[in-house]
Amino acid sequence: MNPSAFDAFAPTYDADFTHTRLGQLLRQRVWRVLGQQFHAGQYVLELACGTGEDAVWLAQQGVHVTATDGSPEMVHVTAVKAEQAGVSDRVTAVTLSLQEIAGERNPYAVIRNPITDHESPITSYDGVLSNFGGLNTTNDWRPLAESLARLVKPGGKVVLVVMGPWCPWEAGWHLAHGEWGTAVRRFRPSASAHIGGSAIPIWYPSARRLRREFAPWFHHLYTESLGLWLPPSYLGHLVERWPRLFTRLNQWERHTARLTGGWGDHYILALQKM
Ligand SMILES: C[S@@+](CC[C@H](N)C(=O)[O-])C[C@H]1O[C@@H](n2cnc3c(N)ncnc32)[C@H](O)[C@@H]1O
């Protein structure tokens, strides 16, 4: 799979998702977790950073971020956004795919060490972040976890925001519209999304599955639902129409998110390097 297919999304991604009410509700929930797990002065590796919304926010909190994405256009938008926000000294934007990080090519040759500013092996990240489905574009999670284990310090945190299989909103919506295939697509071995004119394979690992793939090197801190009472992003128009209702549902979801674990459009999996 060639992640540059996502280039076509880069110019409109923020308008279509980031700046919508739903996008903001969801991202603020993720920022709450990031604020708890990552602190000023730390070094964080971000996977599939998209347009750099989280990298810039973390940098504004004093965190140094190596923001990677397989799409050169997404990386470009990230670099420009960091520059405009005045935090380019804390954001290093690099075109790098999950597959390269997982070891198909040696990631150490390409990642710039933000501590020394040299392109050399990094062994000292304080944490890793991947938000809003970056990890759904691969099903090779074990090699990725193994590579990350080499890049993260003992005690370092990993925050993964992943689309899981158990999404009642999606199943209910599509069943109600007679779209049976779409209603159950997350339970298929692999689904596909039409991105930039090509069909991109997407996988929906359960939180339990992902925990198992990371378990040799990372222990589980917690799993939270994200988008259980809130709809998936393609139904964001519902949130624009009934903002107060969905703001209340979001508050409810926030308080119960750890009880409902891996359910929802996404889940947030927090892990810690052994
Ligand atoms: C839904 S966007 C999420 C972007 C961002 N993390 C956010 O929070 O908005 C998914 C991102 O994954 C990137 N991506 C897709 N496949 C990838 C791959 N194989 N390696 C690295 N990045 C990839 C895309 O370019 C896109 O920026």
Side-chain angles (χ1 to χ4, degrees):
M1 197 278 282
N2 184 357
S4 61
F6 283 84
D7 280 353
F9 274 177
T12 54
Y13 182 82
D14 283 344
D16 292 346
F17 175 64
T18 309
H19 299 148
T20 62
R21 275 181 212 274
L22 177 60
Q24 286 173 353
L25 287 176
L26 294 171
R27 203 177 288 279
Q28 273 160 17
R29 295 263 309 282
V30 175
W31 284 353
R32 209 162 154 266
V33 172
L34 300 184
Q36 289 161 355
Q37 302 300 340
F38 303 131
H39 307 292
Q42 290 188 328
Y43 289 83
V44 167
L45 173 65
E46 182 174 8
L47 312 177
C49 65
T51 56
E53 200 66 14
D54 298 323
V56 166
W57 184 81
L58 279 170
Q60 287 168 336
Q61 317 308 308
V63 178
H64 301 260
V65 185
T66 302
T68 68
D69 196 286
S71 150
E73 273 309 308
M74 290 286 190
V75 170
H76 175 69
V77 173
T78 296
V80 170
K81 197 181 278 186
E83 187 75 42
Q84 286 171 348
V87 291
S88 55
D89 55 329
R90 285 198 287 275
V91 175
T92 305
V94 188
T95 303
L96 193 62
S97 70
L98 297 172
Q99 290 73 11
E100 287 169 306
I101 293 174
E104 280 176 20
R105 274 206 255 143
N106 180 359
Y108 309 120
V110 245
I111 296 179
R112 182 178 293 276
N113 185 335
I115 302 169
T116 62
D117 204 33
H118 293 313
E119 285 186 354
S120 59
I122 305 171
T123 52
S124 55
Y125 281 108
D126 295 292
V128 172
L129 157 68
S130 180
N131 196 4
F132 292 140
L135 260 62
N136 292 89
T137 61
T138 181
N139 65 344
D140 242 359
W141 301 290
R142 178 66 66 109
L144 181 64
E146 189 171 4
S147 270
L148 295 178
R150 285 196 291 270
L151 292 166
V152 178
K153 285 178 187 170
K157 306 288 180 55
V158 174
V159 176
L160 305 174
V161 184
V162 181
M163 290 184 284
W166 308 99
C167 180
W169 247 109
E170 180 165 295
W173 180 267
H174 291 293
L175 282 177
H177 288 80
E179 296 156 355
W180 314 102
T182 315
V184 299
R185 67 179 166 182
R186 295 191 184 212
F187 294 101
R188 298 218 179 93
S190 153
S192 65
H194 290 277
I195 311 265
S198 38
I200 300 289
I202 303 279
W203 291 267
Y204 296 95
S206 66
R208 185 181 292 195
R209 168 78 195 272
L210 217 51
R211 273 173 67 173
R212 211 168 49 231
E213 302 289 14
F214 278 73
W217 309 279
F218 297 89
H219 66 77
H220 179 242
L221 296 175
Y222 56 83
T223 307
E224 282 188 8
S225 292
L226 182 69
L228 178 57
W229 300 103
L230 294 174
S233 57
Y234 54 86
L235 299 177
H237 59 278
L238 301 177
V239 181
E240 300 293 336
R241 183 150 179 210
W242 291 291
R244 269 191 291 177
L245 167 68
F246 284 104
T247 301
R248 289 231 179 88
L249 287 174
N250 182 47
Q251 281 162 356
W252 167 252
E253 184 179 307
R254 193 155 59 82
H255 290 116
T256 55
R258 290 204 193 169
L259 298 175
T260 48
W263 286 72
D265 184 32
H266 289 82
Y267 55 81
I268 304 176
L269 184 62
L271 305 167
Q272 184 164 32
K273 171 82 192 299
M274 292 170 194

